[in-house]
Amino acid sequence: MTTYDVRHAVTYRHEAHPMALWSNPELETILGGPLEQDAITEDDLRNLVTAVPAESEFVDYKSGIGLIEPDQNPRWTSAQEHARDVCAAANSRGAILVYGIEDHKKTAVIDERMVPIPDNPDKDRHAIADHLRREIREHATPVPLVDVIYVDAAAGGFYLVVVIAPSPLAPHAVMAVKDGRKPLYYFLRQPGETNIRPLTEYEVAERYAARALGAEQRRQHLEQLWEDGVDELESSERLWIAVAAAPDLPAADSRLTPQARNEIEQWADERRFPDSLLGLRGAALNRPFPAPGRVVYTHLVDTGDGLAPGVADSYLEVHADGSMFAALALESVSDKTNAISIDSLIDDIRSLTTCALDWMSERTGSWGNASIVAGIAAAGIPYEATVTLNETGGTHAFGLRRVPTRRLPKATTVVDLASITAAQDLLAVAYNAALPLVQAFGVTEPNWITHDGGIHFGHLVSRNGRALRAWARDNGVPQH
């Protein structure tokens, strides 16, 4: 990994959704590429209509008129119909809705079925798509994840392709209006068929149980990620700042295939780890070692029996499913009292959370939530040892506490990946991750990162002057 100064620190520059929300190999073969913006053309849609002429489980053709001239039926509006189509796909195995292609029952001539939505300066394609998203937000609960793709038509106008992935939050319901009430209706795209049908009471209950089970499995996965990572640090006999992070929507293949390994190593080669804003750490000299489902970045050490992977000052696990465990060793420790610098604590938390979110965006896209466990880990240190902060950086403290290593703090924070678009957002994530850690020592809040993702230079103990201020200015980070 290349060494460079704070002015080149990772700032999370990415497109709004760099990866496809959903992967369907059959549709991708027909369309000639992934289900994402700029990968689908009008000719691709024509190929789709040729290969799948009628509505199927995974494809639904829609006239664009309903997006321009919505129905005003007070009992079941076109807005609720749009929400129904989306919820039914999210409750099933996913689907795409293609607006601008007429139903096969009107005509069998493909060119006559291709009726793109006309461009309108009073309500352009972005306004139409935003209106569709608003309808889904207002009439679907919980709101499914959707991607809206614009496909230009050669003769003018455009098509809208709405991509809906199978959802871990199913069942999704449509809120209707009836006698002043808002009853919920649940729908499903019948597997292997073309029709949408209501879910039975038993099926609704079954899906709620599956949702709870899925949430518990994700929680257990995150906890296991933390425990396994900390176990790898045991031989070091040191204190560590560590982060375990996992997306709610992991990559479909969690195996370390040759392609996944190449993607991990290419991503790592283009980034600095750790990414210290305060210049307190240099770049790690770790090497990549393949392991089940992941690539481990650590040192090559002499074990007495030859060279082998071994933990030194940093440790990084990059998982093929988009998860990560990363840790940075703190100052030397003793069997009694150990001190941690508050500046380095916050700097390390920011570095580790930024690294994890950057990998998730690269591997799985900016979809859904990510859960992050951040904490202090004592690897191979006696339980009777204690840890304290050695300063507060000018922030209020209720008497610095000594924390036994058996009760070192760690806490979980949940991040909406779609909301992370700038360096300021990443600093706000670091603030939320670090807040419970510093409070465990009696400090009110992190000293130099603010809750809104700004930098409070007056509370820094370490100084990194011009370079840090220039970085904040260049990345639109508020300075206090």
Side-chain angles (χ1 to χ4, degrees):
M1 296 185 181
T2 307
T3 303
Y4 47 88
D5 64 29
V6 68
R7 291 170 294 179
H8 303 285
V10 173
T11 56
Y12 209 79
R13 300 181 180 94
H14 70 282
E15 300 299 325
H17 300 296
M19 299 279 293
L21 170 62
W22 177 50
S23 177
N24 182 297
E26 181 181 353
L27 294 180
E28 290 166 1
T29 298
I30 296 171
L31 292 169
L35 304 174
E36 60 187 20
Q37 188 66 48
D38 299 327
I40 302 175
T41 67
E42 185 177 33
D43 286 339
D44 295 332
L45 292 181
R46 187 173 284 105
N47 292 336
L48 179 66
V49 179
T50 302
V52 188
E55 178 181 328
S56 72
E57 179 187 351
F58 298 116
V59 181
D60 197 354
Y61 300 115
K62 302 285 185 182
S63 171
I65 295 177
L67 297 178
I68 304 172
E69 302 174 1
D71 181 16
Q72 299 302 321
N73 185 325
R75 288 190 174 274
W76 194 258
T77 66
S78 58
Q80 290 164 326
E81 187 74 11
H82 296 154
R84 185 199 74 145
D85 293 334
V86 169
C87 288
N91 289 339
S92 307
R93 297 195 293 172
I96 60 172
L97 314 178
V98 186
Y99 288 89
I101 297 180
E102 300 294 332
D103 188 273
H104 72 288
K105 295 177 182 177
K106 289 189 175 182
T107 177
V109 180
I110 291 178
D111 284 341
E112 293 179 3
R113 294 182 61 186
M114 309 282 288
V115 184
I117 304 166
D119 286 307
N120 187 334
D122 296 326
K123 191 175 183 181
D124 63 16
R125 62 184 62 184
H126 301 290
I128 291 174
D130 287 344
H131 183 73
L132 178 61
R133 292 190 184 98
R134 186 167 62 253
E135 290 177 336
I136 296 168
R137 288 196 305 269
E138 291 175 351
H139 296 285
T141 180
V143 180
L145 289 173
V146 301
D147 193 14
V148 180
I149 299 169
Y150 311 105
V151 179
D152 288 322
F158 60 97
Y159 306 87
L160 278 184
V161 180
V162 180
V163 181
I164 310 107
S167 174
L169 297 179
H172 297 268
V174 179
M175 293 183 290
V177 178
K178 186 176 182 181
D179 301 327
R181 296 178 292 111
K182 291 185 177 180
L184 301 180
Y185 295 91
Y186 298 86
F187 297 95
L188 175 79
R189 291 187 74 88
Q190 183 69 22
E193 299 181 11
T194 63
N195 64 303
I196 292 176
R197 66 168 177 83
L199 285 167
T200 65
E201 181 180 9
Y202 170 78
E203 289 173 322
V204 172
E206 189 177 51
R207 279 164 173 76
Y208 272 113
R211 182 200 290 181
L213 178 62
E216 176 61 18
Q217 289 174 337
R218 291 192 295 274
R219 186 197 67 78
Q220 291 178 0
H221 169 65
L222 184 65
E223 188 64 28
Q224 194 66 49
L225 196 67
W226 171 272
E227 292 178 2
D228 290 347
V230 171
D231 285 347
E232 293 292 333
L233 308 177
E234 280 296 316
S235 63
S236 67
E237 298 184 355
R238 302 184 70 174
L239 286 172
W240 295 78
I241 302 296
V243 160
D248 278 2
L249 299 172
D253 193 349
S254 61
R255 300 172 303 161
L256 187 67
T257 61
Q259 180 180 351
R261 179 180 178 179
N262 289 339
E263 290 177 6
I264 290 172
E265 294 188 6
Q266 181 179 352
W267 171 85
D269 287 344
E270 294 174 352
R271 281 147 180 89
R272 182 181 192 266
F273 178 78
D275 174 28
S276 172
L277 279 184
L278 302 185
L280 301 178
R281 293 183 182 270
L285 300 177
N286 293 334
R287 298 186 182 188
F289 299 93
R294 64 195 184 277
V295 174
V296 174
Y297 285 84
T298 187
H299 282 64
L300 191 63
V301 299
D302 189 350
T303 64
D305 296 324
L307 296 177
V311 176
D313 295 325
S314 64
Y315 181 78
L316 177 66
E317 293 180 0
V318 187
H319 290 248
D321 68 355
S323 302
M324 175 177 287
F325 177 83
L328 298 171
L330 297 177
E331 299 88 358
S332 59
V333 300
S334 71
D335 291 341
K336 295 182 180 180
T337 300
N338 304 280
I340 297 176
S341 161
I342 192 170
D343 277 3
S344 63
L345 171 64
I346 308 306
D347 192 40
D348 288 345
I349 290 293
R350 188 217 67 87
S351 176
L352 296 174
T353 53
T354 295
C355 184
L357 291 172
D358 188 58
W359 168 241
M360 277 188 219
S361 173
E362 182 77 14
R363 182 63 174 164
T364 67
S366 301
W367 303 102
N369 291 333
S371 296
I372 299 174
V373 173
I376 303 172
I381 298 176
Y383 279 151
E384 58 268 20
T386 59
V387 184
T388 187
L389 293 178
N390 60 13
E391 73 277 302
T392 67
T395 58
H396 186 68
F398 294 95
L400 291 178
R401 303 187 186 109
R402 290 183 178 179
V403 179
T405 55
R406 67 180 179 275
R407 293 207 311 267
L408 286 175
K410 66 182 176 75
T412 302
T413 184
V414 177
V415 181
D416 177 8
L417 291 174
S419 69
I420 308 299
T421 60
Q424 182 178 352
D425 303 320
L426 290 166
L427 290 175
V429 170
Y431 176 95
N432 290 328
L435 183 62
L437 307 190
V438 299
Q439 288 180 345
F441 294 98
V443 177
T444 306
E445 62 178 346
N447 60 326
W448 59 274
I449 296 180
T450 63
H451 70 93
D452 61 349
I455 295 179
H456 201 308
F457 283 88
H459 286 173
L460 274 172
V461 179
S462 308
R463 299 288 175 179
N464 198 19
R466 271 182 207 175
L468 184 56
R469 289 186 181 275
W471 177 88
R473 183 181 61 251
D474 292 345
N475 290 282
V477 173
Q479 303 182 42
H480 304 285

